[in-house]
Amino acid sequence: MASVCGFSTPIIERKCRNVLTSPTLSPRKIENLAVFNGSTTGVSLFFNKGQHWRFKPVPVAGSRDGVGGTAGDDPDDSLQASIEKSKKVLALQSDFFQLIAERRKMVSSIRSHTTDLDEDDIFLEQKDKSLPDVDLTSSSPVRTDEDKNASILSSSSRVTSAMEEVPEIRPSDKVGDEPEVDLPSEKASNLDSTQQLKTTDSKAFKSDVLPSFPSSSSYPARVTAAENENSTKSGSGVVGEVHDPAVEVEKPPPLAGANVMNIILVAAECAPWSKTGGLGDVAGSLPKALARRGHRVMVVAPRYADYAEPQYIGVQKKYKVDGQDMEVSYYHAYIDGVDFVFMDTAMFRHMQSDIYGGKRQDILKRMVLFCKAAVEVPWYVPCGGVCYGDGNLVFIANDWHTALLPVYLKAFYRDNGLMSFTRSILVIHNIAHQGRGPLEDFRSVGLPDHYLDLFRLYDPVGGEHFNIFAAGLKTADRVVSVSHGYAWEIKTVEGGWGLHGIINESDWKLQGIVNGIDTEDWNPQNDVHLRSDGYTNYSIETLQTGKAQCKAALQKELGLPVREEVPLIGFIGRLDQQKGVDIIAEAIPWMMDQDLQLVMLGTGRQDLEELLRQFEAQHRDKVRGWVGFSVQTAHRITAGSDILLMPSRFEPCGLNQLYAMCYGTVPVVHAVGGLRDTVQPFNPFEESGLGWTFDSADASKLIHALENCVLTYRDYKESWDGLRRRGMMQDLSWDNAAQKYEEVLVAAKYQW
Ligand SMILES: Nc1ncnc2c1ncn2[C@@H]1O[C@H](COP(=O)(O)OP(=O)(O)O[C@H]2O[C@H](CO)[C@@H](O)[C@H](O)[C@H]2O)[C@@H](O)[C@H]1O
């Protein structure tokens, strides 16, 4: 028989029995309950292992006899009061302990059902810890639905309803009052409870740890890429007053962190709309990688033709070029997180297939207009309704065609206290082309006389002349070359093409960054050009069969004998002195003595185009010389060839060898510039490396490397397979390079 202070207490007993026979109350909880109870009410519960229970009196601080209450002088009254009080308190507390027990269960259930990351754990940890800290003396009795709560552990989805039904503890309620349940709000009931948990806590968590991002300074309408995206999203239908914080939780912070900037890349060509070579590829893909890091990024390129995606945005401006007013208007497309802005003007129209064509003076005028207008794009061209403005802004100019931009930024703005915080980077893709001319050309650029010295250059070849690249290099805040090797080479007399002096003087602001590649466009797994005519997509897993099929398709398409065992060598490139086509010409007799096939694709110098035709005419069973510019054929040659030949005299970076390695095609290259940086020579003893290199641009060296390569292809299948796989396994994406560009942009930003 249970007792309180030695007296029979059937009512208390009944109440406690109800509590203790609750299906959700384990011996462990009863134990907790008993321990807690003892310190508060003057009675204690204890149980033995067989779960028989009984009360035991315990001393209560402040009681005269160390046993019970003090209701009156009459011991019977006092006892009765004590019993009544105990009854109420016991009933109240047993219910409340049940609530605690259920909350504990619920928390551990959520914990075991959620696979989410630390953020949740932090929250749950706190929730869990918070339970024992409830101020019990001021807590109200609460009602729980035992049947429902008993089953909440069975599925995470039920956690939602359980959370909704667990009533709030309201300190103002009095002991003995009918307990009330706070109904969950409508808003809360629409959310998954785990989301509610995450949301509440993540908010606090985020605000503590996230860096603060640069905010608009001189231009009120500037937004970051992330904000831009948000506004697009909200415009597209996430409406309503209830702000769903769960969305916020899932949005990762920008990779650029506190370095988020507004970036405008300006280039004379931009793939896929316009391309004559590697510059077009870079302008089309580097900006996307920068945008992925969280920057707000724009590309400004000429509108040479009627492109499908960009839409006219109704902005027109006039600029003076060589005394003439030229009108420009703008077209805009937002693709893969990048604002592509195309400048339309009479001068650019119909130049699509001859971007750098025309007389020297005509090209110069085009580039003057392009740069004058481009530097003002952040003021006049709204992207997503908002102009970039000049705060936190950096321009990336590319090669001589846009080297006037840093000069205009300085002369028209910064020297006049405008756009003071805007910076410019000049990227050297090829220093051999510089925008040279007689000094009189200075009149065409429309600058005050005292800027002439920036352009004036003397070298033994050109004498004293006007040099646009020179002015750009001197004026840009930072200079990037497209590989480390090339950064070193352009400081030498041989590699600097007359600009080595200026580059050496600017050494402190020069950095080499190896190009990346667009892994969407150039990926054998989903290359759109491999989906017809017998070609197939392939990956490293299906390399053997997939590549063999592409090779057969290429041979068939070009009318070469379809033979799997013959090594097929490819060449793709602009036909000029740089690319070493004449070195291949010298090696042709040796090559034709071998059992191999050669496919060449290129356009450029007429004499070299003629050479390609000649090769094919003389060796119809072995050689194909495709004169022209065909992106599809370039992709197919990259996939179908076994070997890619690049005997470039100089190569600032080179993209074709990178594409080749991605497609399991082994490069044989002159170890120069970016080719040396990216093609580690094969080491047969260690089974390492990615291809063959030769150390000087002459035919005998090329032949020697090619001989070893073909020998490995024929006789060392495993080594060959290893070479291909190592090439394919590299991460050649733009993401690494974009991070390095970001470092340069930040360095420029803080440079005065
Ligand atoms: N006839 C043809 N048909 C179809 N596609 C063709 C083609 N001829 C060339 N291409 C394509 O144009 C691009 C050429 O890229 P490269 O990097 O080799 O050359 P380029 O010398 O123009 O670029 C300069 O800039 C780039 C970018 O920085 C540097 O990598 C490089 O070293 C430097 O000389 C490749 O995408 C290639 O497939």
Side-chain angles (χ1 to χ4, degrees), residues 252-330:
L255 288 169
N259 295 330
V260 165
M261 293 181 80
N262 295 322
I263 302 168
I264 302 183
L265 185 143
V266 185
E269 54 185 273
C270 177
W273 297 279
S274 53
K275 166 173 165 176
T276 67
L279 172 59
D281 285 352
V282 174
S285 47
L286 167 61
K288 293 179 186 174
L290 288 166
R292 284 196 292 275
R293 296 190 59 76
H295 301 283
R296 190 179 188 208
V297 189
M298 186 200 297
V299 175
V300 182
R303 184 172 179 268
Y304 297 113
D306 209 355
Y307 304 134
E309 303 89 347
Q311 299 299 311
Y312 179 56
I313 52 171
V315 175
Q316 289 184 329
K317 284 282 297 169
K318 278 194 179 138
Y319 293 92
K320 266 210 176 0
V321 178
D322 227 8
Q324 249 190 308
D325 271 344
M326 300 298 305
E327 191 171 76
V328 298
S329 55
Y330 295 95

Side-chain angles (χ1 to χ4, degrees), residues 59 304 358 367 378 572 577 664:
Y304 297 113
M367 296 314 159
I572 303 160
Q577 228 254 349

Side-chain angles (χ1 to χ4, degrees), residues 269 275-282 399 427-430 482 515 522 572-576 578-579 601-603 626-635 638 646 650-657 659 674 734:
E269 54 185 273
K275 166 173 165 176
T276 67
L279 172 59
D281 285 352
V282 174
D399 274 354
V427 183
I428 306 173
H429 299 267
N430 192 339
V482 290
N515 286 334
W522 289 90
I572 303 160
R574 288 180 295 104
L575 301 180
D576 68 8
Q578 174 190 348
K579 301 295 179 183
L601 168 68
T603 180
W626 183 312
V627 175
F629 196 92
S630 163
V631 171
Q632 172 159 291
T633 310
H635 280 250
T638 305
M646 288 186 75
F650 66 94
E651 196 60 80
C653 177
L655 295 173
N656 286 319
Q657 84 280 11
Y659 300 146
W734 266 108

